[in-house]
Amino acid sequence: MASATIATMHNQAQLATQSSRVRHGMRSTISPSLPRLHARVARSSTRHRTVLRVCAADDAKSLDELRKTTGFGRGKALSTQTEGKLSGKSVEIMQAAWADGGGFSGAWKAYMQKARDDFLAFRDQAGRGEIVDPMMWCLAIAAEDDANSTHSVVELPVATYEKRLTSLVTEFINNYLPDDKEDPLKVAKAVEQYLFETKKFTAATKQKVIDNEMYSPYRVYIHNVLPQVCGAPTVLAAIYISFLLRLQAAGHLTGDLRVVLPVLGGVEGLPFSQLPEEEVPEGFVEASPEYIVAESLTTLKMGYWPWEWIPGHEYGFLTTAQAAIGMDGRFGRGVAGTFVPPKGRPYGDVKRALSACERLVLLRADAFQLRDYGVLLYHVGRVPEAYEALKGFREAYDPTAPTIPIAGFESGPRATEQETELLDQLIKQIEVQIAEQSLELS
């Protein structure tokens, strides 16, 4: 299978963590001469055998082991206490702020926990340099959000969606597989024709109903995309790569390929394969499971964010912090999970925005995601955790560190003077609240 689809995955976690620190202005010993990355992956010529399997959660894995395998928590990205709260049992912590959903048995909480465990297991696989099935990783995202939003007593049938893809692969092998199986690019192009022409999988077009909302969350959840055959390019890339992995496992695909897809928020198009020595076209990035999952979660976070999302920004802290300190008066303040901002989205879904942000924190050593997470925690009333997260950002962020461009953005993020002032105000406001609560209890 492809080097950049497979071999690249073995080096992506370490480089993604390193480049993330440089990109996000975090204190690091990484040289500022890192190559300009459009995707958060590196090219590699190392060949590895593909093994398709779904890792079960390893409940015995310690935080120290997680740090070693994923790079998460190195440096000053998060305190040990914060990291502990965001590890395997983070769903229990998150759900403490929400009602049970009257009358339900609570089975949905177990489904959420299982999906989060699967998400972390896939992350750990990538961190160990193992092959990860991106479709199954995306299904873990969908399963958690389905349980979180519906409180259903029936678990999302992940195995059913996996079988749907398997049936497509079987049909392709029986009816569309080229005779010349020794040419990997020819096989890959036949898969593209099968998926995007015969089966009519199409990329969701840009939507301008809400500023900067490129895709509806409906087009990001892979369990919707598979039956509706329409989705965000990142999700189509997950299906496409998983299709190729299954072909390789069946012995019908050999050799090296690179899969690329359009930059989020950039050109419109479909994912496709190319030879490793070919140059990545402008406006496209190398695909990897980590990149696909990160961009999918980013799109979900933006889509569910209850406050106005400023066009061109990768993070939502500014308007959300303004609401938290009361700059908009009663508007924008959270009451039992309901938000009425003065402008922008009329409501949103703070539970799923919080969940997407939480998984982005778990996925990357990205202090700016921690800052967004902290302000969301404040809005849902989890003040001590918000305080810890916001202080963690302030400790981790180094404004003097170099940055490199992010895919779809002209340069790496910097905390503006306005954002820094808002952060200081919010932290002081929280400190006053905590002190007042302590006095009431004494």
Side-chain angles (χ1 to χ4, degrees), residues 374-422:
V375 73
L376 283 177
L377 288 172
Y378 180 78
H379 273 285
V380 300
R382 292 162 57 186
V383 177
E385 292 168 88
Y387 181 65
E388 185 180 343
L390 294 172
K391 286 194 67 177
F393 165 79
R394 192 159 64 178
E395 293 171 2
Y397 176 62
D398 182 0
T400 64
T403 66
I404 58 176
I406 303 174
F409 299 84
E410 293 181 359
S411 63
R414 293 284 193 194
T416 65
E417 183 177 346
Q418 183 183 17
E419 290 173 336
T420 301
E421 291 177 357
L422 283 169

Side-chain angles (χ1 to χ4, degrees), residues 2-12 44-48 131:
S3 290
T5 301
I6 294 183
T8 293
M9 300 175 193
H10 292 259
N11 292 331
Q12 71 181 14
S44 170
S45 59
T46 307
R47 297 173 186 267
H48 298 273
I131 303 304

Side-chain angles (χ1 to χ4, degrees), residues 91 105-118 140 143-148 151-156:
V91 172
S105 66
W108 59 275
K109 293 183 179 180
Y111 301 151
M112 280 190 68
Q113 184 65 65
K114 179 179 180 298
R116 178 62 66 89
D117 289 342
D118 289 343
E144 179 176 335
D145 285 8
D146 177 77
N148 189 16
H151 293 185
S152 175
V153 296
V154 180
E155 186 177 10
L156 186 75

